[in-house]
Amino acid sequence: MSAHDLEIFHKRATTAEGEIVYLKEQIELLRQSIVNNISQESTVDKEEFLKLQQENIKLKHRIAILKRTIEAQRSKAPFDSTSLSVVPQDNDVISINDTLCDIFRKAINLAYPDILDPPVIVTTSNNLKFGDYQCNSAMPLAQQLSSSGTKVIPRNVANNIISKLEESFLVDNYEIAGPGFINIYLKRDFGQSALSSWLKKGFVPPPYVQRKRVVIDFSSPNIAKEMHVGHLRSTIIGDSISRLLEYLGHDVLRLNHVGDWGTQFGMLIAHLQDKFPNYSTVTPPIQDLQAFYKESKTRFDTDENFKKCAYECVVKLQTFEPEITKAWKMICDVSRQEFQKLYNRLDIKIIERGESFYQKRMESIVKELESKNMLEEDNGRKIMWGENQDNGIPLTIVKCDGGFTYDTSDMAALKQRVEEEKADWLIYVTDAGQSLHFQMLENCGKKAGILKSKHRMDHVTFGVVLGEDKKKFKTRSGDTVKLIELLNEGLKRALQKLKEKERDKVLSEEELRMAQESVAYGCIKYADLVHNRNHEYIFSFDKMLEDKGNTAVYLLYALTRIRSIARMANVTQEQLQKHAHDTPISLKHEKEWKLAKVLLKFPDVLLTISQDMFVHQLCELCYEISCAFSEFYDKCYCVEKNQAGEIVNVNIGRLLLTEATALVMEKCFALLGLKPVARM
């Protein structure tokens, strides 16, 4: 950077940092307003309350944008001399939405300097008549101005904003439509440059984010019980979010918070001692832990002497008596091996850290909370409230008998993850039924001083899986569906589908096996991820194996077909990467440009998901890409042949566009946990 550029950078960074401080003050004022509204619920205006909540969300989003801008400027990015927007080197990967927001924020501030925090609303347009993007700020701005005594027409506001817009590397032109919408048209040169830079690298680099230490808690089955369909969503959603955050450059610790402690282990150990008294020298055949658990549970419920023995085993386990600890480890190891078989099949990488890990830390957290006078006596137990006692249910930190609870282990885990793992960001992936618990956990964490303002905590909730009868997914006998049986059925159905398409006649045995696994596991994952995670969804192999619409089968096939185009033209990926340095991507045809603009959404979709954790948006992008590609391929010939079937022309510019499409789709699949195959 030149001295002049450095001076500009310093001024802009200082201004942005000052704005962050100001916005944080505004958030605190809004938070206090919301708290006051909750405490005075009988007199609060519901619309005003919702408005405050929305304002709070908007301010937090603005802070995130400013932080990304500052970090990008400091790390690598030169300035476009005509715009506040940062131009990444080689136009690698930028957030179009954030850049446009910054462009319009500057123009609006110049046009209306007296408006504090003006609305900056930029959206994508699904209709070419209305541009590629739209700025819809004129209407709310006009309303804001009118309410302060200056009556204006929204279209005049839009004209005033446009008059203050500076030239940008990103935008070709602007136009006003209707009552005051500002249509935005992107420059094809920008799209060409951005996609070419990806092709030159041979991969799609992630958009820049400030790196954080993230601990994500997902899957979480119980030892000695088989994983069932209830664990499916947490496992699949948690894995996909982990993949996405890792790709963005975060330091991610994936944790499996398994239930490996408590009364049930006294029950299991006592049963093990009775049934296999020589267990310490001869490994007992307890591979079917589910049946073993049911046997011990029946005895526990019907035999008082056995129940007494089970409780004695719990006490011995808590004091880490060697023989009892050995039995406990043996049971845990058998269970772990069964879990790992499922994780291997689904390509899930996760580190187990059971409740037993936090035993000593639970003792420590209880002492700490007592020393801070944060525990209350309640009918013999010790409870903890968050910052607002009128909201929710308190955490039970110590039971009447002096034992610990899930609440205790969660508080201990929270402290361990923040203080020992140095986590900046905590994510819990569980069903929506635990929402209140995690709200209280966060509130108590803040009250105890464990969670500070720099920490972020997200509870990623999800709805239940339903059967085709729209009731909770069960077997015909009414039992919970085992996950291993679900995967086996998926393999069986996938093979049947491939044989219906006569793929077994053209694929080798190994290719058929790979296609079978790709389709089976891919369709199960995608059917889960394609839905808004907060909604229930109906599990149907018939629907998820359809080869039309937004399904894994259709998309996997689409990518295989895209990859086959270059092979048909006898052009390798290495050759295409070389061509990217001297041949421009073809974006002249409207269908070429439409496809390119969809591909350029990829960074924004990832940044949005990193804020709201809704992975279905990535599935929607995959489907939008495949549809745009189909339109492009129908209208634009990549490879031309004569009547004899001989290749007479290869359009390298269009082949480069197919390669860019394949690169983005492959990255999307990798983030979703899908494994495409070369032949299907």
Side-chain angles (χ1 to χ4, degrees):
M1 283 188 184
S2 68
H4 177 63
D5 287 337
L6 284 170
E7 184 181 355
I8 294 173
F9 162 75
H10 178 72
K11 286 179 180 177
R12 287 173 174 167
T14 304
T15 301
E17 287 172 335
E19 188 174 348
I20 287 174
V21 172
Y22 168 75
L23 289 173
K24 283 184 175 179
E25 290 172 355
Q26 294 301 302
I27 285 174
E28 180 56 31
L29 289 173
L30 282 168
R31 189 190 70 79
Q32 193 57 51
S33 296
I34 291 170
V35 170
N36 291 341
N37 281 338
I38 291 170
S39 63
Q40 300 171 12
E41 194 170 346
S42 58
T43 59
V44 79
D45 181 344
K46 186 177 179 182
E47 287 188 10
E48 180 63 21
F49 175 63
L50 292 174
K51 183 179 175 184
L52 287 170
Q53 284 187 316
Q54 289 300 315
E55 187 67 20
N56 193 27
I57 292 167
K58 187 170 74 174
L59 289 172
K60 285 183 177 179
H61 181 64
R62 174 62 185 148
I63 285 177
I65 292 171
L66 284 167
K67 283 182 176 178
R68 285 207 301 270
T69 302
I70 290 169
E71 290 298 324
Q73 290 167 355
R74 283 178 171 158
S75 64
K76 63 178 181 179
F79 283 102
D80 176 354
S81 61
T82 62
S83 171
L84 263 179
S85 304
V86 177
V87 186
Q89 293 170 351
D90 299 325
N91 281 356
D92 266 348
V93 178
I94 75 160
S95 164
I96 294 174
N97 193 74
D98 285 358
T99 305
L100 291 174
C101 281
D102 282 342
I103 290 169
F104 276 91
R105 182 172 290 103
K106 181 186 176 188
I108 293 169
N109 285 335
L110 288 172
Y112 299 99
D114 296 332
I115 297 290
L116 185 64
D117 190 34
V120 181
I121 306 164
V122 174
T123 63
T124 56
S125 175
N126 294 321
N127 191 325
L128 290 175
K129 291 192 300 182
F130 304 128
D132 304 320
Y133 289 76
Q134 273 189 346
C135 176
N136 302 330
S137 299
M139 282 71 77
L141 256 176
Q143 189 175 7
Q144 204 169 336
L145 288 163
S146 297
S147 63
S148 62
T150 309
K151 192 167 184 180
V152 289
I153 300 169
R155 195 173 177 92
N156 290 343
V157 173
N159 268 312
N160 198 13
I161 293 170
I162 282 188
S163 72
K164 304 299 181 184
L165 288 167
E166 296 178 339
E167 185 180 344
S168 167
F169 70 95
L170 188 65
V171 181
D172 187 28
N173 69 293
Y174 307 95
E175 67 177 22
I176 298 174
F181 300 107
I182 301 175
N183 295 339
I184 307 162
Y185 295 87
L186 300 181
K187 283 182 178 176
R188 296 195 190 205
D189 288 349
F190 156 73
Q192 209 167 45
S193 175
L195 295 180
S196 289
S197 71
W198 301 353
L199 289 171
K200 289 171 188 175
K201 289 179 172 62
F203 64 91
V204 185
Y208 178 81
V209 296
Q210 187 175 7
R211 191 170 188 264
K212 293 183 183 295
R213 171 69 164 165
V214 184
V215 175
I216 178 164
D217 180 328
F218 68 99
S219 194
S220 304
N222 288 313
I223 293 290
K225 295 181 182 178
E226 287 194 75
M227 287 180 73
H228 53 77
V229 71
H231 298 109
L232 185 67
R233 301 209 74 183
S234 176
T235 304
I236 290 172
I237 294 168
D239 176 61
S240 187
I241 291 173
S242 298
R243 289 168 181 263
L244 189 147
L245 295 179
E246 286 161 352
Y247 172 63
L248 288 176
H250 294 297
D251 178 15
V252 179
L253 175 61
R254 302 154 165 247
L255 286 185
N256 199 6
H257 188 81
V258 300
D260 68 344
W261 205 252
T263 305
Q264 71 269 28
F265 284 92
M267 181 179 78
L268 287 163
I269 293 166
H271 188 50
L272 182 72
Q273 288 175 323
D274 287 352
K275 197 167 183 179
F276 304 103
N278 61 342
Y279 72 88
S280 61
T281 54
V282 179
T283 302
I286 55 170
Q287 276 65 40
D288 189 353
L289 269 178
Q290 188 81 359
F292 191 79
Y293 178 86
K294 286 181 178 178
E295 288 173 10
S296 64
K297 184 69 169 69
T298 301
R299 291 186 68 189
F300 186 83
D301 291 339
T302 57
D303 186 337
E304 285 300 318
N305 287 329
F306 178 78
K307 182 182 283 190
K308 183 180 177 182
C309 288
Y311 281 129
E312 288 172 359
C313 285
V314 172
V315 173
K316 291 176 181 178
L317 178 61
Q318 289 173 342
T319 57
F320 300 100
E321 187 175 299
E323 281 299 307
I324 298 298
T325 302
K326 183 175 182 180
W328 169 73
K329 285 182 176 177
M330 186 180 295
I331 293 166
C332 290
D333 286 344
V334 172
S335 201
R336 273 190 207 101
Q337 290 166 14
E338 295 305 307
F339 294 161
Q340 195 56 48
K341 289 176 186 176
L342 291 169
Y343 292 139
N344 289 343
R345 287 173 69 169
L346 290 170
D347 191 27
I348 307 291
K349 293 177 177 60
I350 193 167
I351 295 169
E352 182 188 301
R353 188 170 289 170
E355 290 169 0
S356 59
F357 176 83
Y358 301 101
Q359 283 306 297
K360 294 294 183 185
R361 291 170 175 83
M362 282 194 262
E363 295 171 13
S364 175
I365 194 71
V366 171
K367 289 177 183 176
E368 179 183 331
L369 296 174
E370 284 181 326
S371 70
K372 292 178 178 178
N373 296 317
M374 290 184 178
L375 300 185
E376 293 180 18
E377 290 286 339
D378 182 69
N379 295 322
R381 60 187 185 135
K382 294 179 181 179
I383 62 171
M384 181 178 182
W385 288 96
E387 294 174 335
N388 184 0
Q389 292 196 16
D390 297 327
N391 186 24
I393 300 169
L395 298 183
T396 299
I397 302 299
V398 183
K399 294 190 292 185
C400 297
D401 61 4
F404 299 142
T405 68
Y406 291 124
D407 294 346
T408 326
S409 65
D410 276 349
M411 280 295 288
L414 185 72
K415 183 178 175 65
Q416 191 275 335
R417 292 168 186 183
V418 168
E419 297 184 2
E420 295 179 43
E421 301 296 347
K422 307 298 181 188
D424 305 300
W425 185 0
L426 300 164
I427 301 173
Y428 297 84
V429 186
T430 76
D431 64 273
Q434 297 186 52
S435 293
L436 187 57
H437 167 72
F438 283 103
Q439 286 174 22
M440 287 302 298
L441 180 66
E442 184 173 8
N443 288 337
C444 289
K446 289 177 179 177
K447 185 177 181 180
I450 298 168
L451 289 176
K452 298 180 171 59
S453 58
K454 68 175 183 177
H455 294 116
R456 173 178 172 183
M457 178 171 160
D458 285 303
H459 180 210
V460 177
T461 59
F462 52 83
V464 298
V465 182
L466 304 177
E468 294 189 68
D469 58 359
K470 297 187 179 178
K471 295 179 181 177
K472 202 167 183 179
F473 197 23
K474 301 274 188 180
T475 63
R476 288 185 179 179
S477 62
D479 294 330
T480 303
V481 179
K482 295 177 182 178
L483 196 48
I484 194 163
E485 292 174 357
L486 197 71
L487 298 185
N488 290 340
E489 181 67 16
L491 286 173
K492 177 183 168 185
R493 299 278 192 111
L495 183 59
Q496 183 181 335
K497 185 78 174 178
L498 289 164
K499 286 183 174 180
E500 283 175 10
K501 299 288 184 181
E502 299 187 336
R503 305 315 296 160
D504 55 320
K505 295 179 181 178
V506 295
L507 299 177
S508 69
E509 188 175 328
E510 178 63 13
E511 286 173 334
L512 184 64
R513 183 192 63 78
M514 290 174 66
Q516 177 191 14
E517 291 183 359
S518 173
V519 169
Y521 304 148
C523 77
I524 289 171
K525 288 183 179 184
Y526 196 82
D528 189 309
L529 296 171
V530 75
H531 295 92
N532 180 317
R533 59 176 167 77
N534 280 332
H535 298 168
E536 299 171 336
Y537 86 94
I538 295 171
F539 191 98
S540 166
F541 274 120
D542 289 338
K543 288 184 179 178
M544 64 178 67
L545 284 166
E546 286 178 356
D547 53 11
K548 294 179 182 178
N550 194 1
T551 67
V553 177
Y554 170 73
L555 292 171
L556 287 165
Y557 174 72
L559 178 58
T560 302
R561 185 177 67 144
I562 291 167
R563 276 278 176 231
S564 71
I565 296 168
R567 287 200 304 271
M568 179 176 63
N570 297 317
V571 180
T572 65
Q573 283 181 259
E574 291 75 17
Q575 289 171 325
L576 284 172
Q577 195 171 346
K578 288 180 182 177
H579 281 301
H581 288 82
D582 53 38
T583 305
I585 292 177
S586 181
L587 296 183
K588 292 178 182 177
H589 194 283
E590 63 169 320
K591 297 301 181 183
E592 295 171 336
W593 182 218
K594 180 180 179 181
L595 173 58
K597 286 183 289 188
V598 176
L599 298 176
L600 292 169
K601 290 181 183 179
F602 176 67
D604 272 326
V605 171
L606 298 192
L607 293 173
T608 300
I609 295 171
S610 72
Q611 290 300 313
D612 62 24
M613 305 280 114
F614 285 102
V615 183
H616 71 275
Q617 296 166 102
L618 191 58
C619 299
E620 289 171 356
L621 178 68
C622 285
Y623 186 57
E624 190 179 358
I625 290 171
S626 66
C627 291
F629 184 85
S630 292
E631 290 181 27
F632 152 73
Y633 194 64
D634 287 343
K635 299 292 183 183
C636 306
Y637 291 110
C638 298
V639 181
E640 296 181 54
K641 297 181 179 180
N642 60 21
Q643 290 184 339
E646 299 166 332
I647 295 174
V648 294
N649 182 47
V650 175
N651 189 317
I652 295 296
R654 286 177 177 169
L655 272 189
L656 289 172
L657 185 54
T658 68
E659 176 67 10
T661 304
L663 288 178
V664 175
M665 285 191 73
E666 282 170 347
K667 180 49 67 179
C668 289
F669 286 176
L671 300 179
L672 295 168
L674 275 61
K675 285 188 174 179
V677 289
R679 300 187 68 205
M680 184 179 289

